[in-house]
């Protein structure tokens, strides 16, 4: 095999690696030019309702499909729940979200049991 072929190949490979390494440094930069959908001073996912619960726990809910689906948003994952017949209960067979106005409770398996959950007061 000719070494004249290998030199440009190695140069291209090293150049590509340098470019990819440079991309990693801007991965946490928000490049969306039109601002945020969130109100100022609010953390969490856009278009989601925050619930703060007993024991300093919190979660977010985003409703979809005209309210027939509730996406429960945890720090590490999202879970879709379907509205039950009562209209205040959402479930997927494992997780259960009960919503009563500004109050809610959430049970998801044996480890997640959030009670006394309320929407925080809106900042003025």
């Amino acid at each position: 095999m000719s070494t004249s072929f290998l030199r440009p190949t190695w140069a291209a490979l090293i150049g590509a690696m340098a470019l990819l390494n440079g991309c990693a440094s801007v991965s946490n930069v928000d490049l969306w030019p039109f601002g945020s959908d969130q109100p100022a001073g609010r953390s969490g996912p856009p278009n989601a309702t925050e619930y703060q619960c007993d024991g300093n726990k919190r979660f977010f809910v985003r409703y979809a499909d005209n309210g027939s689906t509730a996406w429960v948003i945890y720090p590490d994952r999202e879970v879709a729940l379907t509205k039950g017949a009562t209209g205040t209960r959402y479930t997927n067979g494992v997780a259960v979200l009960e919503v009563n106005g500004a109050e809610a409770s959430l049970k998801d398996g044996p480890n997640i049991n959030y009670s006394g959950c309320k929407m925080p007061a809106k900042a003025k």
Side-chain angles (χ1 to χ4, degrees):
M1 187 177 275
S2 168
T3 59
S4 62
F5 173 74
L6 293 177
R7 284 186 189 140
T9 304
W10 278 105
L13 181 61
I14 290 170
M17 290 173 55
L19 286 173
L20 290 174
N21 190 30
C23 292
S25 65
V26 292
S27 63
N28 291 333
V29 176
D30 185 11
L31 299 176
W32 184 252
F34 304 110
S36 173
D37 291 342
Q38 297 179 184
R42 180 175 179 258
S43 63
N47 302 321
T49 302
E50 178 182 10
Y51 288 95
Q52 295 176 347
C53 309
D54 294 343
N56 203 23
K57 299 174 183 176
R58 73 179 185 157
F59 64 94
F60 296 88
V61 177
R62 181 180 297 134
Y63 295 98
D65 304 324
N66 293 324
S68 64
T69 303
W71 282 91
V72 176
I73 304 167
Y74 297 110
D76 60 341
R77 70 186 196 287
E78 296 182 16
V79 178
L81 307 177
T82 304
K83 188 182 228 180
T86 64
T88 61
R89 180 181 173 144
Y90 295 82
T91 186
N92 64 2
V94 177
V96 176
L97 171 67
E98 294 275 349
V99 179
N100 186 7
E103 298 183 6
S105 65
L106 174 65
K107 295 178 184 173
D108 189 355
N111 297 326
I112 296 177
N113 188 0
Y114 296 170
S115 60
C117 305
K118 298 178 181 175
M119 287 187 242
K122 294 184 180 183
K124 294 182 180 182

